[in-house]
Amino acid sequence: MSAAAIMLVCSHCTELPTEVGEHVIYHWDDSEARLCGGTVPTVDRFLEAVGGYYGWSPDDLGPGVEYFWDEELALSACSWLGASGCESRVLVRPHVFSKHPVDTHELAHATRGGHGRPALRYPAFINEAFASRWGSSVIEINVPFLTWPEFLSTAELRAALEVNDATKLDYGLAFTWWVALETTYGPAQMADFILELDGATTADDVERATRRVFDISLAESAALAESLPEAAIDDPVCEFEGLPTFTWTGPPLVLEHSDAHCDDRDIVNMGPHRGSWMFALEFSDTWTPFYVTLTLPPGVEPFGQTIFLEGCAGELEFADRLPYVASVGAGGPSGTSRWPWHLRGRYVGHLVSFIDPDGAVVLPRVAFERVRDDADRPTQP
């Protein structure tokens, strides 16, 4: 989208409230939503996590992202894509329009690797590969991408790299190709690859970059992608430092954050009426089964209070290791997982609940109790 088109769409943008973070200038429609205190800091942390993964310092992130959380603006600005969010550039500053308070896919587009900063130019297939790789299911409500067990032929990959229209691409295949390269060669060489790709517009340009950085052809890169099992990669939140961390030491592990409020700097919007709190959990290095029980304080209506966990394995994890999700039962203030959760190592996740009119966010208390036999199954109150 051109600068003139964005300014036309955004004729009333200056009327929106603004909060300035370290790397983002954030605007939102306060007639529709209450901005929680941790939302802008989380966008900053996300941008730093992407850059830090590839070894770029905060000074390399470039000018701040203008982020507009406004459904009407997103529909207008992104109508050419038929999408709920999009990223574009006005002069030197990337702009993101989204109906989501934190749109990690579009924010990834606005980073150095996603063609946003500096103004790097990549084929659409690579733009979407990078942005899909950095989509988060912990920061926002998303289904994690999985690699595809079947990939493109060399001819099909070359054709995909020539496509200029992102709406005609399969993001899952683009994600698979990027993950194949990243898991084979690591973030340092991927950072070199990102810079080597600057100005690439054709499949031949991309092949020159794969040969210079990885010493492989496009055909060999397609074979790497073809060899991947159906698997998931770590959520971007695994790269976050300083998350509140809870470690299982034998007794039941209790996860609790009482008296949470939307204004708190650790509560992040997951929409206009829902807030979340992110954390990390650490278990032993061997698979251990746990029953997971969610409980609400007396008098709190059970409605949408949920825990979500993603593993931080540091490597590909097979697709049968799906995210763990549990919610408070609709019939009462408590709910216990029907089947044990088998957990090992480090996880990141969130608790989510609705934001009350006064800003309170009543999060569930979660207990992880090791399973020894069927008699140990917790009973619901």
Side-chain angles (χ1 to χ4, degrees):
M1 178 178 287
S2 68
I6 287 183
M7 297 312 296
L8 181 64
V9 166
C10 205
S11 58
H12 76 285
C13 288
T14 56
E15 301 171 7
L16 296 175
T18 298
E19 182 173 329
V20 179
E22 292 291 325
H23 310 292
V24 66
I25 303 169
Y26 195 96
H27 313 271
W28 75 100
D29 183 354
D30 60 349
S31 68
E32 296 291 334
R34 179 172 186 154
L35 183 69
C36 291
T39 302
V40 172
T42 295
V43 174
D44 282 334
R45 293 178 78 183
F46 172 79
L47 294 171
E48 290 175 353
V50 176
Y53 183 81
Y54 295 107
W56 298 318
S57 72
D59 292 340
D60 293 324
L61 294 178
V65 177
E66 293 264 2
Y67 191 100
F68 297 88
W69 175 28
D70 185 299
E71 185 166 2
E72 182 179 347
L73 280 177
L75 289 173
S76 300
C78 309
S79 59
W80 61 288
L81 282 171
S84 61
C86 58
E87 181 273 340
S88 191
R89 172 175 290 275
V90 179
L91 301 177
V92 298
R93 190 184 301 282
H95 284 53
V96 171
F97 300 89
S98 182
K99 71 175 185 179
H100 304 294
V102 186
D103 192 325
T104 51
H105 181 99
E106 299 306 330
L107 281 167
H109 275 311
T111 68
R112 185 178 193 178
H115 78 66
R117 297 183 291 178
L120 301 178
R121 297 160 292 163
Y122 310 137
F125 184 87
I126 291 172
N127 289 334
E128 299 307 333
F130 183 88
S132 298
R133 179 261 180 271
W134 285 102
S136 172
S137 302
V138 176
I139 299 175
E140 52 182 322
I141 298 175
N142 266 336
V143 176
F145 266 110
L146 297 177
T147 56
W148 284 54
E150 297 180 1
F151 193 66
L152 303 170
S153 67
T154 303
E156 290 169 334
L157 174 58
R158 294 185 69 87
L161 288 165
E162 301 280 354
V163 173
N164 293 321
D165 185 350
T167 64
K168 297 179 180 179
L169 292 172
D170 188 312
Y171 289 16
L173 290 170
F175 169 82
T176 300
W177 184 74
W178 188 272
V179 169
L181 292 173
E182 192 165 281
T183 55
T184 302
Y185 296 103
Q189 280 190 273
M190 291 303 286
D192 293 340
F193 185 51
I194 288 167
L195 298 181
E196 188 67 37
L197 284 167
D198 183 19
T201 58
T202 67
D204 286 342
D205 293 337
V206 176
E207 182 156 34
R208 279 190 285 272
T210 61
R211 290 187 181 279
R212 288 172 183 163
V213 177
F214 307 126
D215 196 26
I216 61 171
S217 65
L218 275 184
E220 289 170 308
S221 76
L224 285 176
E226 179 70 35
S227 69
L228 291 182
E230 187 178 26
I233 59 171
D234 284 356
D235 190 277
V237 175
C238 292
E239 298 294 321
F240 282 24
E241 297 181 357
L243 289 173
T245 301
F246 300 80
T247 302
W248 178 68
T249 58
L253 185 154
V254 175
L255 181 63
E256 189 169 21
H257 184 22
S258 58
D259 300 322
H261 192 280
C262 180
D263 293 343
D264 297 342
R265 286 182 64 83
D266 59 356
I267 300 299
V268 181
N269 286 98
M270 276 206 162
H273 307 299
R274 287 203 282 183
S276 73
W277 174 60
M278 293 188 296
F279 55 84
L281 301 177
E282 294 180 346
F283 295 92
S284 67
D285 292 334
T286 58
W287 290 109
T288 305
F290 292 87
Y291 280 119
V292 182
T293 302
L294 284 71
T295 308
L296 291 173
V300 175
E301 185 70 21
F303 186 55
Q305 294 90 353
T306 301
I307 181 172
F308 178 95
L309 288 187
E310 279 271 20
C312 297
E315 58 187 17
L316 285 175
E317 289 213 81
F318 293 110
D320 58 3
R321 198 263 335 135
L322 297 175
Y324 294 95
V325 185
S327 297
V328 177
S334 179
T336 300
S337 57
R338 183 176 181 183
W339 306 109
W341 291 9
H342 289 78
L343 303 173
R344 179 182 71 178
R346 181 177 173 84
Y347 294 81
V348 293
H350 64 241
L351 299 183
V352 63
S353 186
F354 279 85
I355 302 170
D356 291 343
D358 64 357
V361 182
V362 183
L363 298 167
R365 176 184 184 274
V366 184
F368 294 80
E369 186 171 349
R370 182 179 178 181
V371 178
R372 290 181 173 82
D373 55 50
D374 289 342
D376 289 331
R377 180 182 174 89
T379 59
Q380 295 188 31

Coordinates of all heavy atoms in Angstrom, one line a residue, residues 232-287:
A232 N 6.5 -29.1 15.0 CA 6.4 -27.7 15.4 C 7.7 -27.2 15.9 O 8.6 -27.9 16.3 CB 5.3 -27.6 16.6
I233 N 7.8 -25.9 15.9 CA 9.1 -25.2 16.5 C 8.7 -24.4 17.7 O 7.5 -24.2 18.0 CB 9.7 -24.3 15.4 CG1 8.7 -23.2 15.0 CG2 10.2 -25.1 14.2 CD1 9.4 -22.1 14.1
D234 N 9.7 -24.0 18.4 CA 9.4 -23.2 19.7 C 8.6 -22.0 19.4 O 8.9 -21.3 18.4 CB 10.7 -22.8 20.3 CG 11.4 -24.0 21.1 OD1 10.8 -25.1 21.1 OD2 12.5 -23.8 21.5
D235 N 7.7 -21.6 20.3 CA 7.0 -20.4 20.2 C 8.0 -19.2 20.5 O 8.9 -19.4 21.2 CB 5.9 -20.3 21.3 CG 4.9 -19.2 21.1 OD1 5.3 -18.0 21.6 OD2 3.9 -19.4 20.5
P236 N 7.8 -18.1 19.8 CA 8.7 -16.9 20.1 C 8.8 -16.5 21.6 O 9.8 -16.0 22.0 CB 8.0 -15.8 19.3 CG 7.3 -16.5 18.1 CD 6.8 -17.8 18.7
V237 N 7.8 -16.8 22.4 CA 7.9 -16.5 23.8 C 9.0 -17.3 24.5 O 9.5 -16.8 25.5 CB 6.5 -16.6 24.5 CG1 6.6 -16.4 26.0 CG2 5.5 -15.6 23.8
C238 N 9.4 -18.4 23.9 CA 10.5 -19.1 24.5 C 11.8 -18.3 24.5 O 12.7 -18.6 25.2 CB 10.7 -20.4 23.7 SG 9.4 -21.7 23.8
E239 N 11.8 -17.3 23.6 CA 13.0 -16.4 23.6 C 12.9 -15.2 24.6 O 13.9 -14.5 24.7 CB 13.1 -15.8 22.2 CG 13.3 -16.8 21.0 CD 14.7 -17.5 21.2 OE1 15.7 -16.9 21.5 OE2 14.7 -18.7 20.9
F240 N 11.8 -15.1 25.3 CA 11.6 -14.0 26.2 C 12.4 -14.3 27.5 O 12.4 -15.4 28.0 CB 10.1 -13.8 26.6 CG 9.3 -13.1 25.6 CD1 9.7 -13.1 24.2 CD2 8.1 -12.5 26.0 CE1 8.9 -12.4 23.3 CE2 7.3 -11.8 25.0 CZ 7.7 -11.8 23.7
E241 N 13.1 -13.3 28.0 CA 13.8 -13.4 29.3 C 12.9 -12.7 30.4 O 12.1 -11.8 30.1 CB 15.1 -12.7 29.2 CG 16.1 -13.3 28.2 CD 17.4 -12.6 28.2 OE1 17.6 -11.6 28.9 OE2 18.3 -13.0 27.4
G242 N 13.1 -13.2 31.6 CA 12.4 -12.6 32.7 C 11.0 -13.0 33.0 O 10.3 -12.3 33.8
L243 N 10.5 -14.0 32.3 CA 9.1 -14.5 32.6 C 9.0 -15.0 34.0 O 10.0 -15.6 34.5 CB 8.7 -15.5 31.6 CG 8.4 -15.1 30.1 CD1 8.2 -16.4 29.3 CD2 7.2 -14.2 30.0
P244 N 7.9 -14.8 34.7 CA 7.7 -15.5 36.0 C 7.8 -17.0 35.7 O 7.1 -17.5 34.9 CB 6.4 -15.0 36.4 CG 5.7 -14.5 35.2 CD 6.7 -14.0 34.3
T245 N 8.7 -17.7 36.5 CA 9.0 -19.1 36.2 C 8.6 -19.9 37.5 O 9.0 -19.6 38.6 CB 10.4 -19.3 35.8 OG1 10.7 -18.5 34.7 CG2 10.7 -20.7 35.5
F246 N 7.9 -21.0 37.2 CA 7.5 -21.9 38.3 C 8.1 -23.3 38.0 O 8.0 -23.8 36.9 CB 6.0 -22.0 38.3 CG 5.3 -20.7 38.6 CD1 5.1 -19.8 37.6 CD2 4.9 -20.4 39.9 CE1 4.5 -18.6 37.8 CE2 4.3 -19.2 40.1 CZ 4.1 -18.3 39.1
T247 N 8.8 -23.9 39.0 CA 9.5 -25.1 38.8 C 8.9 -26.2 39.7 O 8.6 -26.1 40.9 CB 11.0 -25.0 39.2 OG1 11.6 -23.9 38.4 CG2 11.8 -26.2 39.0
W248 N 8.6 -27.4 39.0 CA 8.1 -28.5 39.8 C 9.2 -29.2 40.5 O 10.2 -29.6 39.9 CB 7.4 -29.5 38.8 CG 6.9 -30.7 39.5 CD1 5.8 -30.8 40.4 CD2 7.4 -32.0 39.3 NE1 5.6 -32.1 40.8 CE2 6.6 -32.9 40.1 CE3 8.4 -32.6 38.5 CZ2 6.8 -34.3 40.2 CZ3 8.6 -34.0 38.6 CH2 7.8 -34.8 39.5
T249 N 9.0 -29.5 41.8 CA 10.1 -30.1 42.6 C 9.6 -31.4 43.3 O 10.3 -32.0 44.0 CB 10.6 -29.1 43.7 OG1 9.4 -28.7 44.5 CG2 11.2 -27.9 43.1
G250 N 8.4 -31.8 43.0 CA 7.8 -33.0 43.6 C 6.4 -32.9 44.1 O 5.5 -33.6 43.6
P251 N 6.2 -31.9 45.0 CA 4.8 -31.7 45.4 C 4.0 -31.0 44.3 O 4.6 -30.6 43.2 CB 5.0 -30.7 46.6 CG 6.4 -30.8 47.0 CD 7.2 -31.2 45.8
P252 N 2.7 -31.0 44.4 CA 1.9 -30.3 43.4 C 2.4 -28.9 43.1 O 2.7 -28.2 44.0 CB 0.5 -30.3 43.9 CG 0.4 -31.5 44.9 CD 1.8 -31.6 45.5
L253 N 2.5 -28.6 41.8 CA 3.0 -27.2 41.4 C 1.7 -26.4 41.3 O 0.8 -26.8 40.5 CB 3.7 -27.3 40.1 CG 4.4 -26.0 39.6 CD1 5.6 -26.4 38.7 CD2 3.4 -25.2 38.8
V254 N 1.7 -25.2 41.9 CA 0.5 -24.4 41.9 C 0.9 -23.1 41.1 O 1.9 -22.4 41.4 CB 0.0 -24.0 43.3 CG1 -1.1 -23.0 43.2 CG2 -0.4 -25.3 44.0
L255 N 0.1 -22.8 40.1 CA 0.3 -21.6 39.3 C -0.9 -20.6 39.6 O -2.0 -21.0 39.4 CB 0.2 -22.0 37.8 CG 0.4 -20.9 36.8 CD1 1.8 -20.3 36.9 CD2 0.2 -21.5 35.4
E256 N -0.5 -19.5 40.2 CA -1.6 -18.6 40.6 C -1.2 -17.1 40.5 O 0.0 -16.8 40.8 CB -1.9 -18.9 42.1 CG -3.1 -18.1 42.6 CD -3.5 -18.7 44.0 OE1 -2.7 -19.3 44.7 OE2 -4.7 -18.5 44.4
H257 N -2.1 -16.3 40.0 CA -1.8 -14.8 39.9 C -3.1 -14.1 40.3 O -4.0 -13.9 39.5 CB -1.4 -14.5 38.5 CG -1.1 -13.0 38.4 ND1 -0.7 -12.2 39.4 CD2 -1.0 -12.2 37.3 CE1 -0.5 -11.0 39.0 NE2 -0.7 -10.9 37.7
S258 N -3.3 -13.9 41.6 CA -4.5 -13.3 42.1 C -4.5 -11.8 42.0 O -3.4 -11.2 41.9 CB -4.8 -13.7 43.6 OG -3.7 -13.3 44.4
D259 N -5.6 -11.2 42.1 CA -5.8 -9.7 42.1 C -5.1 -9.1 40.8 O -4.6 -7.9 40.9 CB -5.1 -9.1 43.3 CG -5.8 -9.6 44.6 OD1 -7.0 -9.7 44.6 OD2 -5.0 -9.8 45.6
A260 N -5.2 -9.8 39.7 CA -4.7 -9.2 38.5 C -5.6 -8.1 38.0 O -6.8 -8.2 38.1 CB -4.5 -10.3 37.4
H261 N -5.0 -7.1 37.3 CA -5.8 -6.0 36.8 C -5.3 -5.6 35.4 O -4.1 -5.7 35.1 CB -5.7 -4.8 37.7 CG -6.7 -3.7 37.4 ND1 -6.5 -2.8 36.4 CD2 -7.9 -3.4 38.0 CE1 -7.6 -1.9 36.4 NE2 -8.4 -2.3 37.4
C262 N -6.2 -5.2 34.5 CA -5.8 -4.9 33.2 C -4.7 -3.8 33.1 O -3.9 -3.8 32.2 CB -7.0 -4.4 32.4 SG -6.7 -3.9 30.7
D263 N -4.6 -2.9 34.1 CA -3.6 -1.9 34.1 C -2.2 -2.4 34.4 O -1.2 -1.7 34.2 CB -4.0 -0.8 35.1 CG -5.2 0.0 34.7 OD1 -5.6 -0.1 33.5 OD2 -5.8 0.7 35.6
D264 N -2.1 -3.6 35.0 CA -0.8 -4.2 35.4 C 0.1 -4.4 34.2 O -0.4 -4.8 33.1 CB -1.0 -5.5 36.1 CG -1.8 -5.4 37.4 OD1 -1.9 -4.3 37.9 OD2 -2.3 -6.4 37.9
R265 N 1.4 -4.2 34.3 CA 2.3 -4.4 33.2 C 2.6 -5.8 32.8 O 3.3 -6.1 31.8 CB 3.6 -3.7 33.5 CG 3.5 -2.1 33.5 CD 4.8 -1.5 33.7 NE 5.8 -1.8 32.7 CZ 6.0 -1.1 31.6 NH1 5.1 -0.2 31.2 NH2 6.9 -1.5 30.7
D266 N 2.0 -6.8 33.5 CA 2.1 -8.2 33.1 C 0.8 -8.7 32.6 O 0.8 -10.0 32.3 CB 2.7 -9.0 34.3 CG 1.7 -9.0 35.5 OD1 0.7 -8.3 35.5 OD2 2.0 -9.8 36.5
I267 N -0.2 -7.9 32.3 CA -1.4 -8.3 31.7 C -1.5 -7.8 30.3 O -1.4 -6.6 30.1 CB -2.6 -7.9 32.6 CG1 -2.6 -8.5 34.0 CG2 -3.9 -8.3 31.9 CD1 -2.6 -10.0 34.0
V268 N -1.7 -8.7 29.4 CA -1.7 -8.4 27.9 C -3.1 -8.6 27.3 O -3.7 -9.6 27.6 CB -0.6 -9.3 27.2 CG1 -0.6 -8.9 25.7 CG2 0.7 -9.1 27.9
N269 N -3.5 -7.7 26.5 CA -4.8 -7.9 25.8 C -4.7 -9.1 24.8 O -3.7 -9.3 24.1 CB -5.1 -6.6 24.9 CG -5.6 -5.5 25.8 OD1 -4.8 -4.6 26.0 ND2 -6.8 -5.4 26.1
M270 N -5.8 -9.9 24.9 CA -6.0 -10.9 23.9 C -7.2 -10.6 23.1 O -7.8 -11.5 22.5 CB -6.1 -12.3 24.5 CG -4.7 -12.9 24.7 SD -4.7 -14.7 24.8 CE -3.0 -15.1 24.5
G271 N -7.6 -9.4 23.0 CA -8.8 -8.9 22.4 C -9.3 -7.7 23.3 O -8.7 -7.4 24.3
P272 N -10.4 -7.1 22.8 CA -10.9 -6.0 23.6 C -11.4 -6.3 25.0 O -11.5 -5.5 25.8 CB -12.1 -5.5 22.7 CG -12.5 -6.6 21.8 CD -11.2 -7.4 21.6
H273 N -11.8 -7.6 25.2 CA -12.4 -7.9 26.5 C -11.7 -9.1 27.2 O -12.3 -9.6 28.2 CB -13.9 -8.3 26.3 CG -14.7 -7.3 25.5 ND1 -14.8 -6.0 26.0 CD2 -15.3 -7.3 24.3 CE1 -15.5 -5.3 25.1 NE2 -15.8 -6.1 24.0
R274 N -10.6 -9.5 26.8 CA -9.9 -10.6 27.4 C -8.4 -10.2 27.7 O -7.8 -9.6 26.8 CB -9.9 -11.9 26.6 CG -11.3 -12.5 26.6 CD -11.2 -14.0 26.3 NE -11.1 -14.2 24.9 CZ -11.0 -15.5 24.4 NH1 -11.1 -16.5 25.2 NH2 -10.9 -15.6 23.1
G275 N -7.9 -10.6 28.9 CA -6.5 -10.3 29.2 C -5.8 -11.6 29.6 O -6.4 -12.6 30.0
S276 N -4.5 -11.6 29.3 CA -3.7 -12.8 29.6 C -2.5 -12.5 30.4 O -2.0 -11.3 30.5 CB -3.3 -13.5 28.3 OG -2.3 -12.8 27.7
W277 N -2.0 -13.5 31.1 CA -0.7 -13.4 31.9 C 0.2 -14.5 31.4 O -0.2 -15.7 31.4 CB -1.1 -13.6 33.4 CG 0.1 -13.7 34.3 CD1 1.1 -12.7 34.4 CD2 0.4 -14.7 35.1 NE1 2.0 -13.2 35.4 CE2 1.6 -14.4 35.8 CE3 -0.2 -16.0 35.4 CZ2 2.2 -15.2 36.8 CZ3 0.4 -16.8 36.4 CH2 1.6 -16.4 37.0
M278 N 1.4 -14.2 31.0 CA 2.4 -15.2 30.5 C 3.3 -15.6 31.6 O 3.7 -14.8 32.5 CB 3.1 -14.6 29.3 CG 2.2 -14.3 28.1 SD 3.2 -13.8 26.6 CE 3.9 -12.3 27.1
F279 N 3.8 -16.8 31.4 CA 4.7 -17.4 32.4 C 5.5 -18.6 31.8 O 5.3 -18.9 30.6 CB 3.8 -18.0 33.6 CG 2.8 -19.0 33.1 CD1 3.1 -20.3 32.9 CD2 1.5 -18.6 32.8 CE1 2.2 -21.2 32.4 CE2 0.6 -19.5 32.3 CZ 0.9 -20.8 32.1
A280 N 6.4 -19.1 32.6 CA 7.2 -20.3 32.2 C 7.1 -21.3 33.2 O 7.0 -21.0 34.4 CB 8.6 -19.9 31.9
L281 N 7.1 -22.6 32.8 CA 7.0 -23.7 33.8 C 8.2 -24.6 33.5 O 8.6 -24.8 32.3 CB 5.7 -24.6 33.6 CG 4.4 -23.9 33.8 CD1 3.3 -24.8 33.6 CD2 4.3 -23.3 35.3
E282 N 8.8 -25.2 34.5 CA 10.0 -26.1 34.3 C 9.7 -27.4 35.1 O 9.4 -27.4 36.3 CB 11.2 -25.5 34.8 CG 11.6 -24.3 34.0 CD 12.9 -23.6 34.5 OE1 13.3 -23.9 35.6 OE2 13.5 -22.8 33.8
F283 N 9.8 -28.5 34.3 CA 9.6 -29.9 34.9 C 10.9 -30.7 34.7 O 11.9 -30.2 34.2 CB 8.4 -30.6 34.1 CG 7.1 -29.9 34.4 CD1 6.6 -28.9 33.5 CD2 6.3 -30.2 35.4 CE1 5.4 -28.3 33.7 CE2 5.1 -29.6 35.7 CZ 4.6 -28.6 34.8
S284 N 10.9 -31.9 35.2 CA 12.1 -32.7 35.1 C 12.4 -33.1 33.6 O 11.5 -32.8 32.7 CB 11.9 -34.0 35.9 OG 10.9 -34.8 35.3
D285 N 13.5 -33.7 33.4 CA 13.9 -34.0 32.0 C 13.3 -35.3 31.5 O 13.6 -35.8 30.4 CB 15.4 -34.1 32.0 CG 16.1 -32.8 32.2 OD1 15.5 -31.8 31.8 OD2 17.3 -32.8 32.6
T286 N 12.5 -36.0 32.4 CA 11.8 -37.2 31.9 C 10.3 -37.0 31.9 O 9.8 -36.2 32.6 CB 12.1 -38.4 32.9 OG1 11.7 -38.0 34.2 CG2 13.6 -38.7 33.0
W287 N 9.7 -37.6 30.9 CA 8.2 -37.4 30.7 C 7.5 -37.8 32.0 O 7.7 -38.9 32.5 CB 7.7 -38.2 29.6 CG 8.2 -37.7 28.2 CD1 9.0 -38.3 27.4 CD2 7.7 -36.5 27.6 NE1 9.2 -37.6 26.3 CE2 8.4 -36.4 26.4 CE3 6.8 -35.5 27.9 CZ2 8.2 -35.4 25.5 CZ3 6.7 -34.4 27.0 CH2 7.3 -34.4 25.8

